């Protein structure tokens, strides 16, 4: 009833988790059965180890939070040798979020992940607003976005999801450009560029001054963008941004998302994904919906 | 094996004001309390406070296994902690716990240890003192605050060993900082400290200079408390480490970069 497909990926249900908010899944294993998820996206992974930005890296804002983690991770080598063996047995879709400073770095990471049997897809993060080079420059320009996607496409054979930034004027144009370059799916939205000031200390709240806004505050922006992109492309769309309940998830599905991801809400309720799956089941029963696909994109 | 974490509803058994701007909340879970190591914390869900979405990290202040209760010592500093201070008996509170790595045990029970606490940092030291006192460790407690009314829970430490105080205004104990108290100059097998960052750094620097073992318990801003988001990191000698996972308690031997930076 809740099964959906994103390109070659078969999902038990449309509920996944968002990169950078769910660690490597293991951090949540005491609270939920990870195999009940449609899938989960692990931390942003780069070519080599990254220390990320200095502390402070977060600030709570109305109905949301700003973060400036800056892609701290152990690098793709460490992922393949240390993390992957610990999680590969899980019967769910494990997706690696791939990031880089350069096209060469994106390609090198994608190639190394391609060789991991139990990773059926990557999510190419061309949109992280935290890193001074890379990230941002690719995702805000249709030509640059298409270039990195077509280069990665040459070396990566499995499902290629491209994650889009909301910090652009015409998101559908970027989506069309990456579709044309060979993306199998797009996910959106990444965080919205924001800023907060601690007026008592007369200082920015984040070490990087600006950072990425997530949580319920961004949801209406995300729903609007998912709707615009779903109308513009043929490849499946994965929707995220502020989802914290089954009703939120349904908004994205109706706006045209084939699947959804839950991010910041995991911090508030580590069982929220399971609650959402149960809520979707309940909704389908109440509305006599035999197949969740029947409501996808109805708006 | 790592300890299992859980998300559990608690009922407020008691909420009592213990000092100016501090309350102690006594909580009872629906089932049986999980095993908690001193120094570990809980992520507390604050409902009904405007603008509060993320959980608030609060140390475990006391455990009473017989009564099946857990206590939190909360300093009112903002919207979330104000709401916690207003909870009535019988109200429900949701906790994710036990989180992080707690204090380590002194190497032998014949040890003489020093606990140095300031502000809300006094909270985890009580459960540590209570646990160690059962092992016949000799405990000295040194608590500091701006004034007498701002040192919570000090009476609770009395039955467990000597208690020394410092205040900025001289209203109790020695006037000055914790590191100015004569008891701080003595030799200890281990120093455990939790409190404002400048206080902990001063304690760590002095312990390092005197070649004494020392553990600090940090209170960085957190989003998840579970090791997933990497928001809470501290810059250690071996790079960024998560305060919620590798900490909140750190041995100062790997923290020179942290305590040398004022
Ligand atoms: C591991 C750990 C254990 C802790 N244990 C205790 C405890 O036992 N008792 C206790 O009272 N507090 C404890 N704290 C601090 C507590 O988490 C914060 O005081 C609380 O989150 C503030 O929430 P608020 O909504 O009241 O404040 P907000 O309205 O969010 O902020 C008010 C002010 O408090 C400051 N603040 C917010 N969070 C922190 C923080 N983590 N550390 C220092 N300043 C902060 C803000 O910068 C702001 O100036 C602990 C923190 C950590 C990380
Ligand atoms: C702490 C934190 C870290 C994040 N790290 C990444 C990352 O490494 N790669 C990425 O593509 N997105 C990252 N994101 C963005 C999320 O995956 C997601 O796109 C965004 O938070 C919006 O969803 P939400 O409102 O449900 O959190 C991060 C978000 C947060 C809050
Ligand atoms: S608070 Fe999320 S990793 Fe520590």
């Amino acid at each position: 009833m809740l099964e959906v497909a994103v390109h070659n990926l078969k999902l038990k249900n449309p509920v996944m988790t968002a990169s950078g908010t769910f660690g490597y899944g293991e951090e949540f294993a005491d609270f939920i059965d990870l195999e009940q998820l449609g899938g989960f996206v692990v931390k942003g992974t780069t070519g080599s180890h990254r220390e990320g930005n200095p502390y402070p890296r977060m600030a709570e804002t109305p109905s949301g939070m700003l973060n400036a983690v800056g892609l701290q991770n152990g690098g793709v080598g460490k992922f393949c040798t240390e993390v992957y063996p610990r999680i590969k047995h899980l019967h769910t879709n494990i997706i690696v979020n791939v990031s880089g400073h350069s096209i060469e770095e994106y390609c090198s990471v994608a190639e190394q992940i391609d060789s991991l049997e139990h990773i059926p897809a990557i999510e190419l993060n061309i949109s992280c607003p935290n890193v001074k080079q890379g990230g941002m420059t690719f995702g805000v320009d249709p030509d640059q976005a298409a270039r990195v996607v077509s280069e990665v496409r040459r070396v990566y054979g499995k499902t290629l999801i491209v994650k889009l930034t909301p910090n652009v004027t015409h998101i559908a144009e970027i989506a069309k450009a990456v579709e044309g370059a060979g993306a199998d799916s797009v996910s959106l939205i990444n965080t919205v560029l924001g800023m907060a000031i601690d007026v008592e200390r007369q200082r920015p709240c984040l070490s990087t001054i600006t950072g990425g806004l997530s949580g319920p505050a961004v949801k209406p922006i995300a729903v609007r963008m998912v709707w615009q992109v779903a109308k513009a492309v043929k490849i499946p769309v994965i929707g995220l941004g502020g989802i914290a309940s089954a009703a939120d998830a349904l908004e994205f599905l109706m706006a045209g998302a084939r699947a959804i991801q839950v991010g910041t809400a995991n911090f508030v309720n580590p069982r929220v994904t399971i609650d959402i799956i149960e809520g979707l089941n309940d909704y389908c029963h109440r509305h006599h919906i035999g197949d969740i696909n029947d409501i996808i994109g109805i708006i | 094996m790592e300890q299992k974490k859980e998300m559990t509803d608690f009922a407020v058994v008691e909420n009592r004001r213990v000092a100016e701007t501090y309350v102690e909340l006594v909580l009872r879970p629906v089932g049986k309390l999980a095993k908690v190591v001193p120094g570990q914390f809980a992520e507390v869900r604050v409902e009904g406070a405007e603008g509060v979405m993320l959980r608030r990290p609060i140390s475990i202040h006391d455990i009473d296994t017989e009564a099946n209760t857990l206590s939190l010592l909360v300093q009112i500093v903002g919207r979330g902690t104000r709401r916690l201070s207003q909870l009535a008996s019988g109200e429900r509170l949701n906790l994710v716990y036990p989180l992080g790595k707690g204090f380590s045990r002194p190497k032998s029970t014949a040890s003489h240890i020093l606990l140095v606490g300031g502000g809300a940092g006094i909270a985890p030291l009580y459960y540590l003192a209570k646990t160690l006192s059962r092992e016949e460790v000799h405990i000295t407690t040194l608590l500091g605050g701006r004034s007498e009314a701002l040192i919570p829970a000090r009476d609770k430490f009395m039955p467990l060993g000597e208690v020394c105080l410092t205040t900025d205004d001289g209203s109790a104990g020695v006037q000055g900082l914790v590191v100015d108290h004569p008891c701080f100059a003595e030799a200890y097998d281990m120093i455990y400290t939790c409190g404002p960052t400048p206080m902990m750094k001063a304690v760590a620097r002095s312990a390092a200079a005197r070649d004494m073992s020392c553990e600090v318990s940090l209170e960085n801003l957190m989003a998840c408390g579970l090791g997933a988001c990497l928001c809470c990191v501290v810059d250690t000698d071996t790079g960024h480490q998560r305060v919620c996972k590798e900490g909140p308690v750190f041995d100062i031997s790997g923290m020179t970069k942290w305590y040398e930076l004022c």
Side-chain angles (χ1 to χ4, degrees), chain A residues 193-210:
Chain A
L193 196 56
M195 176 168 163
I197 297 169
D198 181 336
V199 295
E200 289 302 323
R201 296 185 181 85
Q202 306 188 351
R203 278 203 309 246
C205 293
L206 300 176
S207 68
T208 49
I209 306 178
T210 61

Side-chain angles (χ1 to χ4, degrees), chain A residues 20-23 27-28 30-31 43 51 53 55 57-58 60 63-65 69 72 216 264 267-271, chain B residues 4-7 45 51-56 96 220-224 226-231 233 239-240:
Chain A
T21 66
F22 206 64
E27 291 82 352
F28 287 82
D30 283 346
F31 304 100
K43 273 220 57 59
E51 271 300 299
N53 291 322
Y55 180 84
R57 292 178 167 185
M58 60 96 40
E60 190 172 21
S63 300
M65 63 175 277
V69 171
Q72 179 181 337
T264 304
F267 305 159
V268 181
N269 173 7
R271 286 185 53 81
Chain B
K4 204 169 150 65
K5 308 174 184 87
E6 56 181 77
M7 178 164 67
R45 182 142 183 197
V52 178
M53 175 186 74
L54 296 170
R55 288 174 181 264
R56 297 300 193 248
V96 171
N220 284 11
L221 297 172
M222 294 182 177
C224 74
L226 303 172
C229 74
L230 306 183
C231 285
V233 296
H240 280 143

Side-chain angles (χ1 to χ4, degrees), chain A residues 61-114:
Chain A
T61 55
S63 300
M65 63 175 277
L66 288 166
N67 92 82
V69 171
L71 292 177
Q72 179 181 337
N73 80 105
V76 65
K78 196 165 173 188
F79 176 79
C80 294
T81 56
E82 288 180 28
V83 183
Y84 175 67
R86 294 202 305 261
I87 58 176
K88 66 175 183 187
H89 64 278
L90 292 167
H91 292 285
T92 185
N93 293 292
I94 305 173
I95 299 169
V96 177
N97 182 270
V98 170
S99 200
H101 287 291
S102 61
I103 291 185
E104 294 72 39
E105 187 177 6
Y106 278 111
C107 289
S108 151
V109 177
E111 227 174 334
Q112 292 176 68
I113 302 293
D114 200 23

Side-chain angles (χ1 to χ4, degrees), chain A residues 198-243:
Chain A
D198 181 336
V199 295
E200 289 302 323
R201 296 185 181 85
Q202 306 188 351
R203 278 203 309 246
C205 293
L206 300 176
S207 68
T208 49
I209 306 178
T210 61
L213 180 65
S214 64
V218 307
K219 195 188 72 175
I221 300 173
V223 173
R224 182 263 295 177
M225 289 190 156
V226 163
W227 180 75
Q228 289 177 321
V229 168
K231 292 266 182 274
V233 298
K234 292 186 187 68
I235 52 177
V237 175
I238 299 169
L240 72 153
I243 297 175

Side-chain angles (χ1 to χ4, degrees), chain B residues 15 20 46 50 59 68 80-81 83 91 94 127 134 138 147 156-157 159 183 196 203-204 209 211 222 230 257:
Chain B
N15 176 357
E20 223 176 281
V46 183
E50 204 186 304
S59 305
N68 198 40
T81 49
R83 171 73 187 108
E91 275 195 86
N94 183 270
Y127 182 44
R134 288 200 202 103
H138 179 186
S147 69
K156 294 174 101 173
F157 288 90
C183 82
V203 169
D211 224 9
M222 294 182 177
L230 306 183
K257 228 167 120 179

